[in-house]
Amino acid sequence: MSSNRSSRLPGFFNLPLEQRLAKVVEVGDLNLEAQAALHGESGLTLEQADHMIENAIGLFSLPLGVAVNFIVNQREVLVPMVIEEPSVVAGASHMAKLARAGGGFTARTTEPEMIAQIQILDVPDLEAASQQLLRHKQELLAKADLVDQAINRLGGGARDLEIRPLHDTPVGPMLVVHLIYDTRDAMGANVVNSVAESLAPTIESLTGGRVHLRILSNLADRRLAHASCRIPAKELAFGQFSGDQVRDGIIEAWAFAVADPYRAATHNKGIMNGVDAVLIATGNDWRAVEAGAHAYAARDGSYTSLSRWWVTKQGALEGTLEMPLAVGTVGGATRVHPAAKACLRLMGVSSARELAEIVVSVGLAQNLAALRALATEGIQRGHMELHARQVAIAAGAHGALIERVARQLIAEGVMILERAQEMVRRWNEE
Ligand code: MEV
């Protein structure tokens, strides 16, 4: 996105789809190729799909939306989101608008360090083996650095080695080596797994044990992303709810998630609605991020909220989200899928860290959208309109009939397919 453009696009929601795309292309300064990719005309080809996975038989589409109003680290950004669930894109956009009053989102990330795990079994003496590995740490790091010269040239590579004895497992004691590796702009699964495999023979000879698993950890707790935002209470007011009421209701809702894993799972799912949608749009491995997020949410022994919300001295609502975010802007689908390339271009990100900073901000916005709705009118009202349209389409409505059927379903307060089919039949005959 060009630097002097704003992501604040009033009325964007009400434009027809083609005009929305045209606006995004204009604001995002996208070329024709990117435009065609976003429109779905030149998305992934069957040939590309065939090279991506085994037994490919075709393609599967999902809606691509754009969240507006985002400012992340003082930069205006249009955020592409791929998701089938209604209300997610609207929720993120709306909260990003409220956050603008406090300057938008401030986000930061740690170095992109991943963990390669090497499991060693049948170790004669855990303590002696640990000492031996630590004595040869530099040699092991140097060996790890031979695996990917390109990452080394870009400033990444092996950073550290940690030893973790596990004394009590179902198969007895074992030693685990963590090789810390900076993957720069790659998500890094391939290189990290290769590093783990390359070190196995040396580790066996140093420890006298038997190396078993050699694989990255998705609990990427050295690759964290952190976002915060502050919203003046008056911005939160709507309908019959005062700003203070909404703010306090959000904090009460958050407290529920802090204390109760049953609620925390749903609370964090709401965060991942936003996170995953951007990850899918950019061709990233959202399962890896999901696994890391939930493991991180349980890091202190009980599963809890990934976000925090509180009231500032001035009475504003302030919130933060911190989670592992192993994402890449090079390698994998990010560079193969034409729409993923166009989405990266739209955000104008130049590094994986910058992408993670946007993603974590969207996660925080999404959490706020859910809490605000739940703490006030409930989420069903917001869902209704889009849900009604989906029921109308499922009932066979086309063109203007979709809106007509949807409006009638809302008016009647029923979301029943058979009722929508009746309307379609009747109005088609008019
Ligand atoms: C629905 O996809 C997400 C929510 O359930 C999240 C939440 O409850 O916080 C609305």
Side-chain angles (χ1 to χ4, degrees):
M1 189 167 154
S2 58
S3 54
N4 55 350
R5 304 286 171 86
S6 171
S7 66
R8 177 100 185 82
L9 305 178
F12 186 71
F13 180 78
N14 287 319
L15 294 175
L17 184 147
E18 303 292 339
Q19 285 179 33
R20 275 192 220 120
L21 176 64
K23 190 86 199 152
V24 165
V25 166
E26 179 204 324
V27 176
D29 202 12
L30 298 177
N31 58 21
L32 280 176
E33 193 188 340
Q35 175 174 355
L38 295 180
H39 197 233
E41 289 155 19
S42 68
L44 198 65
T45 63
L46 285 171
E47 195 189 343
Q48 284 165 326
D50 201 19
H51 292 304
M52 251 184 190
I53 62 162
E54 309 74 30
N55 298 359
I57 60 157
L59 301 169
F60 183 100
S61 306
L62 283 170
L64 165 64
V66 168
V68 295
N69 300 326
F70 272 87
I71 299 178
V72 178
N73 293 337
Q74 291 165 17
R75 200 169 72 79
E76 300 272 348
V77 59
L78 288 176
V79 183
M81 300 178 83
V82 169
I83 188 152
E84 86 297 345
E85 185 175 330
S87 301
V88 170
V89 181
S93 301
H94 189 187
M95 295 309 110
K97 184 171 157 202
L98 300 189
R100 288 175 87 89
F105 296 87
T106 304
R108 59 174 193 275
T109 45
T110 58
E111 296 292 327
E113 290 178 354
M114 296 295 284
I115 299 167
Q117 290 200 294
I118 300 147
Q119 176 196 25
I120 320 162
L121 299 167
D122 307 333
V123 180
D125 180 338
L126 287 190
E127 182 51 36
S130 303
Q131 292 307 324
Q132 179 73 342
L133 286 167
L134 288 174
R135 267 196 296 277
H136 288 80
K137 177 167 155 175
Q138 291 314 322
E139 178 190 330
L140 288 162
L141 296 185
K143 223 180 176 63
D145 270 336
L146 295 176
V147 172
D148 193 323
Q149 312 278 334
I151 283 194
N152 271 54
R153 273 195 301 276
L154 292 166
R159 293 289 184 258
D160 202 2
L161 186 109
E162 293 170 348
I163 316 291
R164 298 175 55 231
L166 300 181
H167 295 285
D168 189 17
T169 84
V171 296
M174 62 182 75
L175 207 56
V176 179
V177 171
H178 277 193
L179 190 286
I180 316 300
Y181 190 94
D182 183 324
T183 64
R184 295 285 92 193
D185 289 325
M187 183 275 186
N190 278 330
V191 62
V192 166
N193 293 339
S194 301
V195 163
E197 290 183 6
S198 79
L199 296 183
T202 316
I203 287 178
E204 283 192 339
S205 67
L206 287 171
T207 59
R210 170 171 64 91
V211 166
H212 196 43
L213 300 197
R214 298 145 298 165
I215 185 77
L216 92 169
S217 171
N218 285 129
L219 177 48
D221 61 0
R222 305 181 61 119
R223 197 174 187 178
L224 297 174
H226 183 283
S228 62
C229 67
R230 176 183 304 144
I231 305 191
K234 67 173 172 24
E235 297 289 327
L236 291 164
F238 77 99
Q240 80 271 32
F241 302 99
S242 75
D244 287 4
Q245 247 177 333
V246 177
R247 178 199 62 200
D248 297 346
I250 287 170
I251 289 170
E252 287 161 356
W254 163 75
F256 182 10
V258 170
D260 176 23
Y262 286 90
R263 171 58 204 152
T266 326
H267 176 99
N268 291 339
K269 188 272 182 183
I271 292 172
M272 301 312 287
N273 274 345
V275 168
D276 287 348
V278 188
L279 296 180
I280 297 171
T282 54
N284 270 286
D285 181 350
W286 75 96
R287 287 89 55 212
V289 174
E290 281 276 348
H294 296 293
Y296 194 66
R299 67 192 178 283
D300 294 330
S302 64
Y303 186 86
T304 187
S305 166
L306 283 166
S307 63
R308 281 197 314 124
W309 292 99
W310 66 93
V311 183
T312 66
K313 283 201 188 78
Q314 293 73 33
L317 176 71
E318 203 162 270
T320 61
L321 169 63
E322 182 180 90
M323 58 182 287
L325 257 171
V327 298
T329 50
V330 297
T334 47
R335 283 296 154 107
V336 176
H337 197 297
K341 283 195 283 185
C343 287
L344 282 172
R345 215 188 135 163
L346 174 62
M347 284 185 284
V349 290
S350 55
S351 69
R353 289 179 72 171
E354 211 181 329
L355 173 61
E357 285 159 7
I358 294 172
V359 172
V360 71
S361 301
V362 177
L364 185 60
Q366 211 69 60
N367 183 221
L368 179 60
L371 297 187
R372 175 182 169 278
L374 289 167
T376 55
E377 59 185 11
I379 60 159
Q380 285 312 104
R381 219 182 74 86
H383 272 287
M384 247 358 157
E385 214 165 286
L386 285 164
H387 184 49
R389 278 191 222 154
Q390 282 177 355
V391 174
I393 292 168
H398 290 284
L401 200 54
I402 297 174
E403 279 311 312
R404 188 171 174 196
V405 172
R407 269 201 310 276
Q408 188 60 28
L409 288 171
I410 292 170
E412 293 180 12
V414 289
M415 287 299 146
I416 299 169
L417 184 66
E418 288 71 24
R419 176 73 190 113
Q421 283 166 336
E422 237 176 80
M423 294 178 201
V424 172
R425 256 196 313 275
R426 178 151 43 87
W427 288 332
N428 268 338
E429 283 163 13
E430 276 179 3

